[in-house]
Amino acid sequence: MTVTTRFAPSPTGYLHIGGARTALFSYLYAKRHNGTYLLRIEDTDRERSTDEAVQAIFDGLKWLGIESDVNPPVFQTQRYDRYREVIAQMLAAGTAYHCYASKAELDEMRAAQMARKEKPRYDGRWRPEAGKVLPPPPEGVAPVVRFRNPSAGVVVVDDIIKGAISFDNSELDDLIIARGDGNPTYNFCVVVDDWDMGVTHVVRGDDHVNNTPRQINILKALGATPPVYGHVPMILGADGVKLSKRHGAVSVIEYRALGFMPEALLNYLVRLGWSYGDQELFTRDEMIKLFDLERVQKAPARFDMEKAIWVNHQFLKSADPAIVAPEFDWHLRRVGVDPANGPAVVPVIEAQRERCKTLVEMAEKSKFFYAELDGYNDKDAAKHLGADSALLLDELRAALANLGDWTTLTLHETVNGFAEAKGLGLGKIAQPIRVAIAGMAITPPIDVTLFLLGRERTLARLQAAVAYSAAKVGGG
RNA sequence: GCUCCUAUCGUCUAGAGGCCUAGGACGGAGCCCUCUCAAGGCUUAAACCCGGGUUCGAAUCCCGGUAGGAGCGCCA
């Protein structure tokens, strides 16, 4: 049997980081076993589901590169006929029954149970039982349909991550599978869908473990073989509290804005709750080859932004710059610069990636290649642009203006030779140059920077810096 | 309250009864290198929740406690 997994988000908001990891695990497991990975949109809550959220989930998954093997994905709202059909079957078979208890009645029942310190649950008042006489259905009440859960025995969930978990059927009440309006509910749709779609492994958040025994019971009532379950623990914020807005970035797409490469985020996520010995860095192929649900951690993990950024940096440093280019391009535009108005993006990435942990940082530090300076950094100018540097920069400008070939090699020789001739350490001249051409004292090696910036811009900026320094000195 | 789950450095983790004087990584501290910022190299501090068992031997197995978490909807 071929392995089939699915990721089944409900479109009530953006794709959050925990969901992304669940999707990743699900995807990886399927790929690892040459299986199929599916996306299913659980939109049975008509009130809260929105088209924008559906789109946000698609966008997030697409950016991460976790794409469904079957398109378009299944939307539960398109399967209502099928759900109704199964419900009718269950009603006929006696594995489900109508319940006429009103919401108010149920609320009252739960309140009373809580008051008695009991676990709140449906008391089975409309459950047919041998020898039991049910009251006549009240007038004008649209009944819900409840699953007739076995009242005795135990259900064992053989969880691939958590191990065997057993539940007493006596602890499980008869859950509603169809609402008063006839629409099916989540726990029921999941079961039917996983069954129809041939899902062999259900990978989902561990907030679902308590639903699992009931789902298994429904599957059994339907004569289906339950899938293998794997419940992955949740991701916590750095403070150990459930991830939320106040932790900053929760939505996957926010990580793009923060300057992460999708592959790097995936790499961080896969190592959060899963490990392969001491290995920290994985390519996508390695993840697929090595991933294993059995090695997923049972306890929740905290999201550590520092480490995520480190992983991103490692990726930036070692990746093929051509892969980084489109994202970098996107970030350059985002900081208000036109990538066409300067050097090719690939060599800039190569020059910058050692010193930039995120693409936001890289874009900020590379702006000067693509747009005119909007002034100098105050501190750097104060420190490096003065009377003496004005003289040096002016002389250097003249030397560079006469340079034949504008290459990193000739630039290196010229600048180093210049410093040597002046009896200065390279630092004494490199820093003023940096501030002059980049507006700040942080750039890649000076030869590479000058080369990428080009002759025209370099000479113009040196001249401007000389004028600036002179004016500053002149003005006292 | 009830049911279920979890527990190794600050964080992510290795650890399948002796290989543990508990390893790696991020972050921290220090040193080296250096044209800036970085990167890199080296060194270093830092953990088995507690208590009982089982065993010649327990971070590893069992029980209890404690602490955290999840669920208990005509939400998903």
Side-chain angles (χ1 to χ4, degrees), chain A residues 150-177:
Chain A
S151 50
V154 295
V155 191
V156 176
V157 180
D158 231 327
D159 197 283
I160 197 169
I161 293 170
K162 306 240 181 201
I165 309 171
S166 59
F167 296 84
D168 261 319
N169 270 324
S170 60
E171 289 294 334
L172 274 22
D173 63 358
D174 292 349
L175 82 166
I176 292 174
I177 59 178

Side-chain angles (χ1 to χ4, degrees), chain A residues 429-453:
Chain A
I429 185 68
Q431 289 307 83
I433 297 175
R434 285 196 164 90
V435 181
I437 64 171
M440 57 187 169
I442 300 173
T443 79
I446 210 72
D447 47 1
V448 175
T449 308
L450 292 176
F451 171 71
L452 289 172
L453 189 61

Side-chain angles (χ1 to χ4, degrees), chain A residues 194-207:
Chain A
D194 287 340
W195 183 29
D196 287 351
M197 293 164 85
V199 171
T200 59
H201 298 258
V202 170
V203 181
R204 60 185 6 172
D206 72 359
D207 47 332

Side-chain angles (χ1 to χ4, degrees), chain A residues 95-109:
Chain A
T95 52
Y97 60 92
H98 289 294
C99 168
Y100 294 85
S102 68
K103 287 182 192 179
E105 203 178 331
L106 260 18
D107 286 345
E108 198 181 306
M109 186 179 77

Side-chain angles (χ1 to χ4, degrees), chain A residues 83-84 87-88 91 96-99 142-147 175-186 188-189:
Chain A
Y83 303 138
R84 281 194 192 120
I87 287 167
L91 247 12
Y97 60 92
H98 289 294
C99 168
V144 298
V145 178
R146 286 185 186 270
F147 170 61
L175 82 166
I176 292 174
I177 59 178
R179 304 178 170 94
D181 62 7
N183 289 328
T185 59
Y186 165 77
F188 178 74
C189 298

Side-chain angles (χ1 to χ4, degrees), chain A residues 307-458:
Chain A
K307 185 152 184 185
I309 287 175
W310 176 80
V311 173
N312 195 53
H313 192 199
Q314 296 304 310
F315 182 85
L316 251 21
K317 284 196 300 173
S318 60
D320 177 349
I323 291 173
V324 179
E327 282 296 301
F328 181 51
D329 190 280
W330 185 82
H331 280 278
L332 281 176
R333 290 173 203 280
R334 224 161 166 268
V335 296
V337 130
D338 180 2
N341 187 32
V345 131
V346 165
V348 172
I349 292 168
E350 285 170 327
Q352 294 284 37
R353 59 185 181 176
E354 242 173 49
R355 74 207 80 247
C356 301
K357 295 179 196 282
T358 70
L359 290 171
V360 167
E361 203 182 331
M362 194 182 282
E364 278 304 329
K365 287 180 176 165
S366 303
K367 264 164 101 169
F368 73 94
F369 285 123
Y370 301 93
E372 293 317 308
L373 261 32
D374 52 355
Y376 302 111
N377 173 288
D378 290 343
K379 271 189 186 162
D380 293 340
K383 188 169 180 189
H384 301 294
L385 295 182
D388 43 351
S389 61
L391 250 64
L392 288 171
L393 291 179
D394 200 30
E395 274 187 62
L396 180 73
R397 192 194 61 80
L400 290 174
N402 292 327
L403 199 57
D405 291 335
W406 191 266
T407 67
T408 51
L409 184 63
T410 58
L411 287 163
H412 183 85
E413 284 169 348
T414 306
V415 176
N416 283 54
F418 183 79
E420 214 170 305
K422 292 288 172 189
L424 296 170
L426 187 54
K428 287 278 183 271
I429 185 68
Q431 289 307 83
I433 297 175
R434 285 196 164 90
V435 181
I437 64 171
M440 57 187 169
I442 300 173
T443 79
I446 210 72
D447 47 1
V448 175
T449 308
L450 292 176
F451 171 71
L452 289 172
L453 189 61
R455 187 195 301 261
E456 200 182 316
R457 273 180 169 148
T458 298

